[in-house]
Every structure is written in C-alpha cells, then in structure tokens.
Amino acid sequence: MIAFEHVGKRYGGRFEALADVNFRLSRGEMVFLTGHSGAGKSSVLKLLTCLERPSRGRIVVAGHDLGRLGNAQIPFYRRQLGVVFQNHQLLFDRSVFENVALPLSIQGFTADEVARRVRAALDKVGLLHREKALPIELSGGEQQRIGIARAVVHKPALLLADEPTGNLDPQLSADIMRLFEDFNRIGTTVLIASHDLALIARLKHRVLRLREGRLVGDEGMGS
Amino acid sequence: MKKGRRTHQGARNQQSSFERQRLAWQAHHRQTARDALHRLKQRPIGTAMTLMAIAVALVLPAALWLLLGSAQVLDRNLSDTAQLTVYMTPSASDADASSLLERVRARDDVSSVTLVTPEQGLEQFQKTLGLGDALSGLDKNPLPAALIVKPVTQTPEAVSALSLALKQMPKVDEAQVDMQWLERLKQLSTLGQRVVLSFGALFALGVILIVGNTIRLSVENRREEIEVITLIGATHAFVRRPFLYSGAWLGLGGGIASLILLAAGMAWLSAPLTALAESYGGQWAVPSLGFEGSLFLLIVSTLLGWLGAFIAVGRHLSHMTPK
C-alpha cells in the first residue's frame, strides 16, 4: 500500500528533515509512526498527502509514484486518502452534516447518496444524533470523531492521522483509537502519527520509530 | 445471452451514473452560486461599497460613450447637409447663370443644385440680417448670382474635388465649402472614440482590481477552509468556483448599479442639453444605452468581476502547489 524507498527531504537545501527512510506498509495494516517533535513524523505525512514532494528517493502509494504525480492529478490521488488532523480542522460555519459531506460534495455525489453515506459515517462514530449541530457545540472528543467521520465517509483505502489524540484525555484517546481499529478491521489501511507512547504500547500494533529524520525502529511486524 | 443482458444493463447503469454526476454537478453549481450571493448579503456595507466603486468605474466610460454617440449623430447630420456655394463673377448675365446651372446639374457627382439669383440673394440677406430697408438704399445689387450645390458623396475628399472642378468652370468666381470645420469635427470624433476606448480599458482594469481586492480579502478569510478542502481532494476549479461566483455577482451588481446611475445622470442632464440644442435650432434626443447596450454592459461587467476573482484566487492557488 505504501512504499518509501530511500526517501529524503531537505528544506532550503540545508535542513534535512528526512534521510534515507525505507519502509513498506501492506494493504490492511495498522501502523503507528512515532518520534519526538521534529523527528520527521509530519514530513512523512506531508509527503504522503502530496503537500510536499520528496527531495530524494521514491514514494509509491496504492500504485501511484508520488514524485511523478502531476499537479492536476494530486486532487484525485488525495480522494483515495482519508486524513484526520490533530486539531480536526472542522469548518465552524457549517453543520456537522455539511462538514462530513465535504469530501462527497467535492467528488460530485448526488444529494441523496451524500445523505446516505454521511449518516452511515456519523452512525459509525456514534454521533448520528448530532448531525444538525454546529461543531462549536460539540466537545473536543466529539469534534475529533466528526473529523474521523469526514475522513472515512468516502471509504478511502488508506487512512492517515496526524496526532489524532493530541488534545484529548486518556479515556477519549483510547475511544478514538478503538474507532481506528474498527476501520482497520474492515480492511482500511491505517497510519497514525502519534507520540502517545503509553497508548501505542497498549495497542500492540506495528510501530515505526523516527529520530532526527531517520527510521530507527520497526517493531511488532505482523502483529 | 445472460452475459449480453448484463453488459447491456451495465451500460445503462453507467449512463445513468454519468447522468447522476451531471445532475450533481449542476446542483453543486446552483448551490455555490446561492452561497456566494448569501455571503455577499452577509456583509451588506462592504458589498455595497464594492458595488458602488464598480458602478462609478463603469459609469464614466459608458457616459462618455453615450455622449460621443450623440455627437456622432450630430456629425452625420451635418455631413449630410454638406453643400457648396458657387459664386459667379459680377459680370455674369442671367443667361450665363442658367447655362452654368444646366452644366452643373448634368454632373454625376452632383445630387441637386439650385440657382440663387442676385435678387433672391439680396432678399435672403435682408431677411436673415434684419437690415430691412437699409439695403434698398443701394443703387445697384452688389450680390452675384450663386449656385447651391449638393454633392452626391459627402466625404471631405469628394467634396473638395467637386469644389475644385466647379471653380474651373467659366464665369465662376469662387466655390466655397467650409471643409475645415467638417474635417476637424471628424478628427475630434476619432479622438473622442480613442479617448473613450482608453478610458474604457483603464476603468475595466479598475473593475478587475476592485473585485480582485475584495476577493483577495475573502480568500484570506477562508484560508483554512481552502486548505482543508484542498487536502481532501478538491481540484483548483472546485476551490475557485465560489470565488468566481462572488466575483461575477459583484460585477453584475456593479453593472446594474452603473445602469441606474447612468439613467439618473442622463435624466438630470437631458433638460439643459435639449434646451441648449434647441437654441441652436438642433434636435437632440437623450442618449440611452438601449436594451442591447445595457445587456452588453452587464455582460462585460460580469465578465470583469469573474476575471478579477480568477486572478485573485489564482495567485493564492499558485502558492499551494507542493514543493
């Protein structure tokens, strides 16, 4: 599903955010990406979402060589991903329903199809009854679950999450992680960047460890 | 056979899914246009100021164009009345006058000609100058016979060629045509057109800048939203669309406002202008853009708004390509 081959990323020609990173994720895997801030976690995610291009090496995701993807193709590549942000990035001037519907309206689904899928996604994260609410009326955990619903509403093959539990207490964090495990169980490949080591240790999934832009650990393969 | 049916059904499903996509796309456009209008209504003062700025920028060239248009009508009327006056020598007899009249009438480039005998000339002179009996004191009529000649072709070149030919004829003293002011009027009209065109271009740029700046601000306000939808797979066209609709709405609204301003301005000017025209014995209709002109103005202003928005969003989007 994901292949990093000798990937390097430099900023401004000097600072090396990633150096010779190699790893592979198979379809259906659930993997954590850890490391201190500045270790390169967000660089990996920016490369995977095509926000940045690698300075060296090759990244292949679901058959797409990201270095060779033209600017016009990027939106269509991104539609195959689901992205969960640390601060959930909901649009506060729209209802929960409209937020979750966003990927579908971008992809040109009809109104009834949108409604069906949005309700299904909201149901999965347990917030079907809040569809008319505004994001501001929800708690932090609920907002994050809406963010996840938006990331999975178009049934992506690959789910990426950047510190999805960053601002949540341990109980809520565990709930969120269980949600990711649910999606993984139905076949979605999941990659979660997180520094919540205690939580990761309890979950017993494969863990990729970054330090100063290098991959220094790949544990728990085939868990 | 079973396979055949399935293929057929597949084709139909595909077609209907294409149809569904098209309907969804149309619905999305309608929704985006409505949203854009709604957002403009949410900031009534800012929107009104932008609309007025656009209207002012459009009114100036449009008003100039209207005034130029009526000046051209005037110019055409004057050209139509272009005529030459051929003065015969004082020694010419009545017989000379009528033979000249026949010769001039026979020319191809003359549409009509009338003879003004010295007596008629004196009469007219007395009437127009209001001198009354003052001239009757003269023992001899000082005026020569004259021919008023209307040329077939009204262009300055043809008229001056005709005047030259008439001057060569026997017993002709002078063929007069006031060509200079006609040509000056033509040159002025050409100048006027260019002035209107260059003002039009400048103010069109003004409209683009006004809309561009307004849209740039709303892009700044919605920066986060743009980042989010771009990251979940929105194409540049999708990101641009609401702003293009806003720009087009602003352009259209500004165009409508400018039509209102223009009509009001022309109504205000019409009374004194008509009075002025009448005092010169002329007729002057209040110029208006008419249906086609108004439609043209609205289309142009809408396109300018759209273009301003396109440029403003394009600048933002160009910063968002991956590096």
Side-chain angles (χ1 to χ4, degrees):
Chain A
M1 192 68 185
I2 302 179
F4 267 57
E5 293 167 8
H6 306 290
V7 173
K9 178 67 189 174
R10 277 168 182 273
Y11 294 102
R14 288 187 57 222
F15 176 68
E16 200 157 43
L18 290 178
D20 198 34
V21 172
N22 293 284
F23 67 86
R24 273 171 185 280
L25 251 73
S26 314
R27 199 169 283 272
E29 263 191 289
M30 175 150 172
V31 177
F32 286 104
L33 184 65
T34 71
H36 296 292
S37 53
K41 293 193 302 288
S42 36
S43 289
V44 169
L45 288 174
K46 280 178 183 165
L47 291 171
L48 282 172
T49 49
C50 267
L51 281 175
E52 286 169 2
R53 293 185 186 278
S55 318
R56 248 174 298 119
R58 207 160 80 104
I59 305 171
V60 181
V61 180
H64 303 281
D65 185 339
L66 299 193
R68 290 191 187 167
L69 214 57
N71 284 341
Q73 291 165 287
I74 288 175
F76 301 95
Y77 161 71
R78 285 181 184 152
R79 291 176 189 186
Q80 299 173 29
L81 311 177
V83 186
V84 178
F85 306 89
Q86 173 173 12
N87 49 354
H88 50 75
Q89 298 272 31
L90 298 177
L91 302 179
F92 280 87
D93 58 344
R94 289 158 208 227
S95 70
V96 162
F97 181 95
E98 286 168 314
N99 267 284
V100 177
L102 218 48
L104 301 176
S105 29
I106 286 171
Q107 293 179 35
F109 282 82
T110 52
D112 45 340
E113 183 81 347
V114 168
R116 203 175 57 72
R117 290 197 182 209
V118 168
R119 300 224 163 90
L122 282 174
D123 193 29
K124 261 182 222 160
V125 300
L127 287 171
L128 187 52
H129 58 292
R130 304 304 306 267
E131 65 169 275
K132 290 200 176 64
L134 288 172
I136 198 86
E137 300 162 11
L138 303 179
S139 69
E142 284 174 325
Q143 288 178 348
Q144 189 55 287
R145 267 144 71 190
I146 298 303
I148 293 171
R150 185 181 65 192
V152 300
V153 71
H154 55 296
K155 298 181 181 150
L158 176 60
L159 192 55
L160 302 173
D162 187 8
E163 303 283 359
T165 61
N167 301 324
L168 302 178
D169 63 48
Q171 181 55 44
L172 283 172
S173 300
D175 287 349
I176 295 289
M177 287 304 179
R178 251 196 300 283
L179 212 48
F180 282 116
E181 286 181 320
D182 287 345
F183 288 114
N184 178 241
R185 212 164 291 136
I186 56 171
T188 312
T189 311
V190 183
L191 177 65
I192 302 171
S194 172
H195 60 249
D196 193 346
L197 295 174
L199 184 60
I200 291 168
R202 268 209 309 281
L203 290 169
K204 304 199 190 310
H205 288 286
R206 181 178 162 195
V207 179
L208 296 170
R209 218 176 291 282
L210 284 169
R211 188 186 297 147
E212 287 166 6
R214 287 169 193 279
L215 197 61
V216 293
D218 189 347
E219 300 139 29
M221 277 192 76
S223 62
Chain B
M1 186 185 154
K2 194 178 169 190
K3 193 181 175 194
R5 189 187 297 155
R6 194 181 294 158
T7 318
H8 178 68
Q9 211 158 37
R12 198 163 52 194
N13 280 346
Q14 208 163 28
Q15 194 183 22
S16 72
S17 105
F18 180 74
E19 180 69 14
R20 270 209 307 275
Q21 283 260 329
R22 196 177 62 81
L23 286 175
W25 191 71
Q26 280 175 348
H28 162 67
H29 267 267
R30 272 197 301 276
Q31 183 64 39
T32 313
R34 263 200 305 271
D35 282 353
L37 197 58
H38 183 65
R39 275 175 194 275
L40 291 174
K41 281 189 204 152
Q42 279 180 329
R43 310 179 304 111
I45 293 173
T47 301
M49 275 163 63
T50 307
L51 290 183
M52 279 316 287
I54 297 170
V56 168
L58 288 170
V59 147
L60 285 165
L64 270 178
W65 189 69
L66 278 184
L67 293 175
L68 183 75
S70 55
Q72 276 170 335
V73 169
L74 204 65
D75 174 31
R76 209 169 304 130
N77 288 341
L78 287 170
S79 305
D80 284 348
T81 61
Q83 58 183 29
L84 297 103
T85 311
V86 179
Y87 296 101
M88 302 191 70
T89 53
S91 63
S93 66
D94 285 357
D96 290 332
S98 44
S99 88
L100 183 69
L101 178 68
E102 290 314 311
R103 286 188 59 189
V104 172
R105 186 172 284 155
R107 288 183 65 97
D108 289 341
D109 51 357
V110 170
S111 77
S112 77
V113 52
T114 32
L115 175 67
V116 181
T117 61
E119 293 72 35
Q120 287 170 333
L122 189 65
E123 206 178 307
Q124 276 180 10
F125 202 43
Q126 279 174 339
K127 227 187 258 170
T128 46
L129 292 182
L131 293 176
D133 294 338
L135 289 174
S136 64
L138 295 167
D139 53 348
K140 187 170 162 272
N141 186 348
L143 295 175
L147 297 179
I148 310 246
V149 179
K150 283 198 172 158
V152 174
T153 321
Q154 308 279 357
T155 62
E157 298 75 30
V159 174
S160 67
L162 178 61
S163 117
L164 216 63
L166 293 177
K167 227 182 270 185
Q168 306 298 319
M169 293 185 155
K171 302 279 184 188
V172 170
D173 188 27
E174 182 68 80
Q176 233 181 37
V177 55
D178 203 346
M179 292 302 298
Q180 262 187 334
W181 75 268
L182 250 182
E183 270 176 8
R184 276 188 196 139
L185 195 65
K186 281 243 180 316
Q187 282 159 357
L188 269 176
S189 151
T190 313
L191 180 70
Q193 276 174 335
R194 297 213 173 156
V195 167
V196 169
L197 266 182
S198 44
F199 269 83
L202 274 179
F203 283 98
L205 189 65
V207 172
I208 292 176
L209 291 176
I210 293 164
V211 175
N213 196 46
T214 307
I215 297 298
R216 193 180 56 80
L217 289 175
S218 79
V219 167
E220 290 296 324
N221 286 336
R222 295 171 72 180
R223 177 182 284 276
E224 273 186 23
E225 177 185 346
I226 292 174
E227 275 169 19
V228 171
I229 64 172
T230 305
L231 201 51
I232 59 182
T235 56
H236 280 187
F238 187 95
V239 174
R240 242 185 231 126
R241 199 162 293 135
F243 298 107
L244 295 186
Y245 271 110
S246 302
W249 283 129
L250 285 174
L252 182 65
I256 292 171
S258 79
L259 284 180
I260 295 169
L261 278 184
L262 203 60
M266 285 298 159
W268 192 59
L269 288 180
S270 83
L273 276 176
T274 310
L276 185 69
E278 268 166 8
S279 77
Y280 277 98
Q283 281 215 326
W284 191 78
V286 185
S288 86
L289 285 175
F291 177 73
E292 279 175 27
S294 308
L295 192 65
F296 177 75
L297 183 80
L298 291 182
I299 290 173
V300 167
S301 67
T302 307
L303 285 178
L304 288 175
W306 182 90
L307 187 63
F310 191 92
I311 293 169
V313 189
R315 280 202 43 204
H316 184 80
L317 287 175
S318 67
H319 295 307
M320 291 184 60
T321 52
K323 288 167 191 78

